[in-house]
Amino acid sequence: MIELQGKTVVISGGAEGIGLEIGLVLGRRGMNVVLADIDTQNLAAARDRMAAENIATLTVELDVALEEHWQKVARQTLERFGKVHMLVNNAGVGGAAGAIESYDSASWRWAIDVNLMGVVYGAQTFVPLIKQHGEGGWLLNVASMAGIGGVPYMAAYSATKNAVVALSEGWSTELEEHGVKVAVLCPGFVKTRIHQSHRNRQARYAVDKAPSKQQQKIADGAREAVQNGIDVELLGKRVMEALDGGEFYIFTHPSYRQLARQRAAAIDAAFERAAASPLLKDILEQEIGPF
Ligand SMILES: NC(=O)c1ccc[n+]([C@@H]2O[C@H](COP(=O)([O-])OP(=O)(O)OC[C@H]3O[C@@H](n4cnc5c(N)ncnc54)[C@H](O)[C@@H]3O)[C@@H](O)[C@H]2O)c1
């Protein structure tokens, strides 16, 4: 088991759902927990929930898409707990759904700013603070199974979650020498309020168009799938197991393995065709670049 007692974790989107559950699980292992979220009402309720378990908790208002908010979270974290050892980049929104032409740019921006730039700003703010004390630490990014390939009619969500997987893969190598372990959580459906993400949509990303029939149908399907998802408590336990085991990709739905296999097989078959192409025979043995 990894030693977490007395260390500090910052969790974005920590007021409810997956973020709060990870906070509870890590708090039970002795971590100080900083819950940062755009929803201040739920933050207050989350603080009470943590207090009931005697977990040392700080709550801070944060819109992950605003870089300056992250600076405030860092200041308050250091003031209260002195150091930080783990960042959980968890805040995320389901975003819009629909066919290519039905996505408006405000919906694209919302998903990119929260799901992708929120992760980038979080890492840029906290990774230097974790490196600084030299005690090592962890960066856990919450992606999704939608980050392991492309999902039809969910372009913005899927694109941003694929980006989070890619960032995590690169950062994992970058941060190795600093003793910072990176992990990327890729859940399938979990019973939370992710299907009601619009409740957190900032006014600057507002659209005044009602969803089309197709968009409504996709949203209804997503709601049903989320409501039939796994319990968040099970996900929390699985995350703890995986962190203890030093896992990089953290999966929670073993049945989705076939999707990853199909993708890997399709890519491998495509390479096979490239290797057999007369056009490419002269560069068959060329050394690979810096991957
Ligand atoms: N629930 C699922 O089925 C599922 C599956 C795969 C991945 N995920 C991912 O898990 C993460 C957590 O989602 P969840 O299922 O707990 O959803 P949730 O909606 O229950 O919780 C999300 C939390 O993020 C907060 N949030 C939203 N926008 C924010 C912003 N701009 N700044 C700060 N906080 C913000 C919300 O207030 C809320 O507390 C997300 O990244 C989501 O994409 C969820």
Side-chain angles (χ1 to χ4, degrees):
M1 274 183 3
I2 52 176
E3 183 48 57
L4 298 173
Q5 186 68 39
K7 294 182 175 167
T8 300
V9 58
V10 175
I11 306 174
S12 70
E16 66 175 292
I18 290 174
L20 175 58
E21 192 58 33
I22 292 177
L24 284 163
V25 165
L26 294 172
R28 287 175 196 136
R29 284 279 291 269
M31 289 194 98
N32 308 313
V33 179
V34 180
L35 301 176
D37 203 289
I38 200 167
D39 184 333
T40 47
Q41 255 185 349
N42 268 337
L43 266 183
R47 191 177 47 222
D48 293 346
R49 176 108 189 259
M50 304 290 279
E53 297 208 28
N54 290 322
I55 297 169
T57 306
L58 169 71
T59 54
V60 191
E61 184 177 4
L62 164 73
D63 177 347
V64 289
L66 298 177
E67 213 174 345
E68 62 275 18
H69 278 204
W70 278 102
Q71 295 307 322
K72 179 189 63 177
V73 178
R75 265 197 317 276
Q76 293 191 25
T77 299
L78 295 182
E79 264 166 36
R80 171 77 190 271
F81 295 120
K83 288 178 192 164
V84 57
H85 299 84
M86 186 188 295
L87 170 66
V88 182
N89 268 321
N90 161 77
V93 290
I100 296 173
E101 63 277 15
S102 70
Y103 271 87
D104 51 86
S105 57
S107 298
W108 266 105
R109 278 259 65 94
W110 178 41
I112 291 172
D113 287 353
V114 174
N115 293 359
L116 174 56
M117 293 316 294
V119 170
V120 172
Y121 296 146
Q124 284 180 333
T125 307
F126 279 101
V127 167
L129 298 177
I130 301 175
K131 279 180 180 173
Q132 216 170 56
H133 54 60
E135 295 168 14
W138 297 265
L139 170 60
L140 171 61
N141 293 325
V142 181
S144 168
M145 272 311 300
I148 309 285
V151 183
Y153 304 105
M154 290 289 288
Y157 187 71
S158 178
T160 54
K161 292 300 183 180
N162 271 270
V164 172
V165 172
L167 285 177
S168 307
E169 288 170 344
W171 286 343
S172 145
T173 308
E174 265 185 60
L175 293 176
E176 221 167 49
E177 61 174 306
H178 299 280
V180 182
K181 284 215 67 115
V182 178
V184 60
L185 174 62
C186 299
F189 293 106
V190 186
K191 256 183 235 146
T192 66
R193 290 208 295 154
I194 187 80
H195 56 291
Q196 295 170 0
S197 291
H198 286 268
R199 73 193 187 278
N200 297 126
R201 189 168 175 149
Q202 303 91 321
R204 60 187 184 276
Y205 304 115
V207 283
D208 55 7
K209 222 171 55 186
S212 67
K213 269 197 181 137
Q214 186 202 40
Q215 286 174 317
Q216 195 51 54
K217 199 170 150 211
I218 295 164
D220 290 346
R223 186 193 60 238
E224 206 180 310
V226 167
Q227 286 169 345
N228 289 322
I230 64 168
D231 288 332
V232 78
E233 292 79 12
L234 175 60
L235 178 124
K237 286 182 189 148
R238 170 70 188 119
V239 167
M240 199 62 257
E241 175 187 65
L243 288 176
D244 276 330
E247 296 181 35
F248 171 70
Y249 298 106
I250 305 179
F251 292 111
T252 56
H253 290 62
S255 56
Y256 283 74
R257 184 180 190 172
Q258 52 177 317
L259 297 179
R261 278 190 168 158
Q262 279 163 10
R263 185 180 196 224
I267 291 173
D268 194 52
F271 269 113
E272 201 60 50
R273 288 191 295 277
S277 165
L279 294 172
L280 306 176
K281 70 175 185 330
D282 292 341
I283 59 165
L284 205 55
E285 301 301 329
Q286 205 172 57
E287 274 186 28
I288 57 169
F291 276 96

